[in-house]
Amino acid sequence: MKFKKLSSYFSAVVLFSTSITMAQHSFVNVPPEVSPMPMKPEMTEIWQPEVAVVIPAKKLGDAPSDAIVLFDGKNMDQWVSQKDITKPAAWKIVNNDYMEVIPDAGGIQTKMQFGDCQLHIEWSAPDVVTDGGQMRGNSGVFFQNRYELQVLDSYNNRTYSNGQAGSIYKDHPPLVNAMKTPLEWNTYDVVYTAPRFKSSGLIDTPARITVFHNGVLVQNNATINGLTLYTGLHNYPASHGEDVISLQEHGCKTQFRNIWIRKL
């Protein structure tokens, strides 16, 4: 019995020694000639994956090749009524160029849903100025149908700063007032990052937004603090995913054209 145990012991030792020898042989390291090793240009070059090609528009502000065109003046096929989403959008198209809000017809929303996105939209206040404050060309662009980028004629029109054009409504005033006259078209170019929620349904990271108004930065990666409510403090609702882009009807004949979006 002792001989067998001793034999087993030596076999185990030999096996263990062999394993160590193999391991050391497999993972032997050779020190570099120079330590630390000198950097080479190719060490910091990324080749894969190759960057996808997007063809920019010939005219600045028009849709690039990978954009989804939401409105180009021809029809409103990408939109439905907010009063009844089974019905077409009730706003009118003028001169095969722009759409105009019909007061009391209700807002409109996209058929498609979006989260992170780049949005381009052009808008104009009514040509004839009949009111002031919040009744002058009031509308709004709602991301995920919840978070409003204010549309308003803020040209020589004083109102509360977090309710003027370029504001995140009742949340962040614009950095500057870059509004054009009521007879001119304004542009918004927006990069929007949707909020993220925890598995519990609580907010994890809030939505963020960058806005250029007529080429001027008015929101610089601003944090959206929740639902952009008219009354009350802003907070986040229960968790949600992608949702529609909506345009508000606020009793004003605001006009919109050249709307396109890119999913990010």
Side-chain angles (χ1 to χ4, degrees), residues 7-80:
S7 176
S8 299
Y9 171 77
F10 279 116
S11 297
V13 169
V14 171
L15 180 61
F16 180 71
S17 301
T18 303
S19 299
I20 291 178
T21 302
M22 290 178 64
Q24 288 178 337
H25 185 268
S26 300
F27 297 100
V28 64
N29 290 323
V30 177
E33 294 180 4
V34 179
S35 183
M37 293 180 66
M39 290 293 292
K40 298 179 180 179
E42 56 267 26
M43 289 179 176
T44 52
E45 294 172 357
I46 298 173
W47 285 79
Q48 296 296 336
E50 187 175 355
V51 178
V53 174
V54 171
I55 301 172
K58 292 182 179 180
K59 178 183 175 183
L60 185 63
D62 285 353
S65 62
D66 66 339
I68 299 168
V69 177
L70 296 177
F71 180 73
D72 61 2
K74 296 182 176 65
N75 58 63
M76 297 184 68
D77 291 349
Q78 296 293 329
W79 303 83
V80 294

Side-chain angles (χ1 to χ4, degrees), residues 13-234:
V13 169
V14 171
L15 180 61
F16 180 71
S17 301
T18 303
S19 299
I20 291 178
T21 302
M22 290 178 64
Q24 288 178 337
H25 185 268
S26 300
F27 297 100
V28 64
N29 290 323
V30 177
E33 294 180 4
V34 179
S35 183
M37 293 180 66
M39 290 293 292
K40 298 179 180 179
E42 56 267 26
M43 289 179 176
T44 52
E45 294 172 357
I46 298 173
W47 285 79
Q48 296 296 336
E50 187 175 355
V51 178
V53 174
V54 171
I55 301 172
K58 292 182 179 180
K59 178 183 175 183
L60 185 63
D62 285 353
S65 62
D66 66 339
I68 299 168
V69 177
L70 296 177
F71 180 73
D72 61 2
K74 296 182 176 65
N75 58 63
M76 297 184 68
D77 291 349
Q78 296 293 329
W79 303 83
V80 294
S81 168
Q82 278 200 306
K83 285 187 174 181
D84 184 348
I85 61 173
T86 66
K87 294 183 178 179
W91 297 0
K92 67 177 181 178
I93 296 177
V94 180
N95 298 329
N96 290 321
D97 180 28
Y98 62 89
M99 66 169 89
E100 184 175 277
V101 177
I102 296 180
D104 300 322
I108 63 174
Q109 66 183 52
T110 58
K111 293 179 179 178
M112 298 180 65
Q113 297 184 337
F114 303 93
D116 298 352
C117 63
Q118 174 188 349
L119 178 73
H120 175 92
I121 186 168
E122 301 176 12
W123 57 276
S124 178
D127 296 343
V128 179
V129 176
T130 58
D131 292 294
Q134 289 290 303
M135 284 306 296
R136 190 190 288 185
N138 194 321
S139 183
V141 182
F142 284 79
F143 293 85
Q144 293 182 287
N145 210 25
R146 294 168 175 83
Y147 313 109
E148 182 184 7
L149 169 60
Q150 174 75 317
V151 170
L152 189 80
D153 181 3
S154 295
Y155 185 80
N156 292 334
N157 179 35
R158 186 74 169 97
T159 186
Y160 46 94
S161 297
N162 59 351
Q164 72 178 67
S167 67
I168 308 307
Y169 187 69
K170 286 288 188 83
D171 204 342
H172 296 294
L175 297 174
V176 294
N177 181 353
M179 190 72 194
K180 293 184 178 181
T181 72
L183 296 178
E184 298 177 275
W185 284 91
N186 293 268
T187 64
Y188 279 159
D189 285 289
V190 184
V191 176
Y192 172 78
T193 302
R196 269 60 172 173
F197 295 87
K198 300 178 181 178
S199 58
S200 63
L202 298 176
I203 188 68
D204 188 7
T205 55
R208 302 188 71 83
I209 193 167
T210 295
V211 182
F212 287 87
H213 182 192
N214 295 324
V216 179
L217 182 67
V218 295
Q219 298 290 344
N220 187 11
N221 196 30
T223 297
I224 299 177
N225 292 312
L227 298 176
T228 48
L229 305 172
Y230 176 55
T231 303
L233 299 177
H234 294 181

